[in-house]
């Protein structure tokens, strides 16, 4: 998919990162190990492409808890690319710098911001980000922001694949984006703070 029609194409992104059930080991940091990306055509209401980038962590390892949660193993992510290469792929192959993008909550955006700062890697995304969780909450007039799985239930959609697997979560979030778009409730992309850590972000759910 080329960069034409950027006004109607949207990248939906979901990441998984190294995590622990208790305190993280000394010296370890949470690092992205999987980037799931689904391309959405808002004009035709289609999910066009389903992509997955495995990322090799440099300062942490995949814990048993992380494997239980995501299904990802250390052996699997060892075969991935480095974080800088993953960001390059997002920009070169998925037009991340020019195409609007969305995630469920701000966790994914903030994780990229932190890791890019820590590794001095150019931030791959443009400033047009939409928090799909906020859009869904406002569209349904909910008091609390739901996790992705709960939102699917509310919308009457089924969860496809495995929850907490980046590729599958991005695919499911894309379905929610299209659901909101069909209801006339998907907002135009708005600039997000692409640089600097945004504090108080909620989790991906």
């Amino acid at each position: 998919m080329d960069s034409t029609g950027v006004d109607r194409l949207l990248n939906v992104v979901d990441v998984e990162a190294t995590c622990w059930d208790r305190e993280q080991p000394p010296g370890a940091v949470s690092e992205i190990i999987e980037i799931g990306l689904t391309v959405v055509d808002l004009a035709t209401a289609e999910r066009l492409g389903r992509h997955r980038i495995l990322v090799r962590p440099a300062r942490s390892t995949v814990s048993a808890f992380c494997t239980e949660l995501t299904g990802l193993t250390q052996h699997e992510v060892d075969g991935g690319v480095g974080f800088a290469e993953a960001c390059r792929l997002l920009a070169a192959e998925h037009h991340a710098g020019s195409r609007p993008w969305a995630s469920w909550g701000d966790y994914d955006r903030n994780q990229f911001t932190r890791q890019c700062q820590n590794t001095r890697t150019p931030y791959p995304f443009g400033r047009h980000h939409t928090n799909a969780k906020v859009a869904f909450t406002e569209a349904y007039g909910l008091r609390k922001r739901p996790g992705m799985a709960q939102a699917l239930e509310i919308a009457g959609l089924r969860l496809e694949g495995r929850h907490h697997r980046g590729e599958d979560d991005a695919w499911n979030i894309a379905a929610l984006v299209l659901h909101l778009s069909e209801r006339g409730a998907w907002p135009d992309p708005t600039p997000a703070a692409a640089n600097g850590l945004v504090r108080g972000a909620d989790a991906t759910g």
Side-chain angles (χ1 to χ4, degrees):
M1 180 63 62
D2 59 28
S3 59
T4 59
V6 68
D7 57 330
R8 62 184 176 86
L9 294 183
L10 175 78
N11 285 338
V12 177
V13 176
D14 185 86
V15 304
E16 302 301 330
T18 50
C19 55
W20 302 268
D21 57 346
R22 297 182 179 86
E23 292 185 5
Q24 60 194 53
V29 296
S30 181
E31 299 175 275
I32 293 171
I33 52 177
E34 183 192 16
I35 303 168
L37 186 149
T38 294
V39 181
V40 170
D41 188 329
L42 292 170
T44 62
E46 293 179 286
R47 291 177 287 185
L48 298 180
R50 180 175 181 151
H51 307 279
R52 183 191 196 204
I53 303 173
L54 288 178
V55 186
R56 184 176 60 253
R59 297 179 57 191
S60 61
T61 58
V62 179
S63 67
F65 171 79
C66 188
T67 295
E68 182 179 356
L69 181 68
T70 67
L72 295 167
T73 65
Q74 183 66 45
H75 176 74
E76 189 174 9
V77 301
D78 279 344
V81 299
F83 177 69
E85 174 64 11
C87 289
R88 189 196 70 78
L89 289 172
L90 286 170
E93 297 186 4
H94 303 292
H95 310 285
S98 59
R99 188 176 293 168
W101 69 294
S103 60
W104 195 260
D106 274 333
Y107 167 82
D108 308 81
R109 180 166 60 88
N110 291 336
Q111 178 66 34
F112 266 105
T113 299
R114 283 192 295 268
Q115 198 161 338
C116 284
Q117 289 178 338
N118 291 339
T119 60
R120 298 183 180 180
T121 300
Y123 187 79
F125 298 103
R127 298 180 63 85
H128 295 282
H129 173 265
T130 301
N131 184 329
K133 181 187 286 190
V134 170
F136 188 91
T137 302
E138 293 178 350
Y140 275 88
L142 303 175
R143 296 180 62 186
K144 294 184 178 180
R145 297 178 183 179
M148 185 204 73
Q150 183 183 2
L152 288 169
E153 292 182 5
I154 293 170
L157 301 172
R158 69 181 183 89
L159 192 153
E160 300 179 60
R162 174 177 181 146
H163 194 13
H164 298 301
R165 176 63 68 92
E167 180 183 15
D168 293 338
D169 281 357
W171 185 254
N172 285 300
I173 295 165
L176 288 166
V177 169
L178 290 177
H179 173 75
L180 291 176
S181 181
E182 290 167 1
R183 289 169 56 99
W186 183 251
D188 291 332
T190 55
N195 297 303
L197 175 62
V198 179
R199 300 186 185 277
D202 51 6
T204 55

